[in-house]
Amino acid sequence: MPIIAYIGLGSNRGDSKALVRDAVARLGRAVNVLAVSSLYATEAVGYHDQDDFINAVVKIGTDLSPRELLRLCLAIEQELGRTRTVRWGPRTIDLDILLYGDQRISESGLIIPHPLMAERRFVLAPLAEIAPEAVHPELGRTAVELLAGLTDSHRVIKCETETRKR
């Protein structure tokens, strides 16, 4: 039986909206994309001397292991020109595994749930849009509950409705 997982996407270099859509399409060649959030224009977090980001979240069904899913995400980043220079800096595309079923994983290079997702409005707003009932396995709270209790004041604005669910 496929695992339900959520992947956060972000871009702020090049045609960010097109890059996010392209990344979703590439994911769809390897996993079953069940829902795609709207696109959100978001203020940069961590490293501020950069353009705003376009962010989204996808819900997938997959038989890939968490490590295989990570490899897929990294391959898509590489295919779309991702280079890693400045931590939290500008990027063509970023794919992060947010949740993988109800699993908790802490391995070298792979931590699930994503360690900062509960603190990031740019993750929780699109996640709550497509999966308000998704539960953070360590905190025991839904995406909607986490979003409601968030103190992050970074700007996150829905800029294009993309939402599709199967």
Side-chain angles (χ1 to χ4, degrees):
M1 171 173 267
I3 295 287
I4 299 298
Y6 297 90
I7 298 175
L9 301 97
S11 172
N12 75 337
R13 295 184 84 183
D15 185 344
S16 294
K17 291 177 182 178
L19 284 162
V20 168
R21 287 187 192 107
D22 192 359
V24 171
R26 290 170 190 254
L27 277 169
R29 294 180 197 136
V31 299
N32 187 10
V33 174
L34 302 172
V36 182
S37 75
S38 298
L39 300 181
Y40 289 77
T42 68
E43 181 180 358
V45 175
Y47 178 76
H48 298 284
D49 189 20
Q50 61 182 321
D51 293 335
D52 285 354
F53 279 81
I54 295 297
N55 289 99
V57 170
V58 296
K59 176 182 181 179
I60 65 168
T62 185
D63 292 320
L64 296 176
S65 71
R67 187 62 69 178
E68 290 168 332
L69 184 57
L70 175 63
R71 278 195 286 276
L72 172 64
C73 290
L74 293 173
I76 291 170
E77 288 180 353
Q78 187 173 18
E79 290 167 10
L80 294 177
R82 169 83 188 260
T83 56
R84 296 176 187 273
T85 52
V86 177
R87 181 179 168 100
W88 295 326
R91 65 207 67 178
T92 53
I93 194 71
D94 185 32
L95 285 83
D96 290 323
I97 302 170
L98 304 174
L99 299 169
Y100 184 89
D102 61 359
Q103 292 189 29
R104 299 176 203 183
I105 300 167
S106 184
E107 302 173 358
S108 177
L110 180 62
I111 300 173
I112 299 172
H114 189 283
L116 296 174
M117 70 172 278
E119 302 168 20
R120 303 289 199 224
R121 186 172 302 280
F122 68 83
V123 170
L124 292 175
L127 178 62
E129 176 188 341
I130 62 169
E133 75 295 339
V135 175
H136 190 292
E138 291 178 350
L139 303 176
R141 297 176 63 203
T142 67
V144 168
E145 291 169 337
L146 290 169
L147 182 59
L150 202 58
T151 59
D152 174 7
S153 62
H154 290 87
R155 182 176 21 85
V156 175
I157 301 167
K158 188 184 295 186
C159 64
E160 263 184 51
T161 302
E162 294 281 318
T163 305
R164 82 172 185 252
K165 295 182 180 182
R166 289 188 204 166

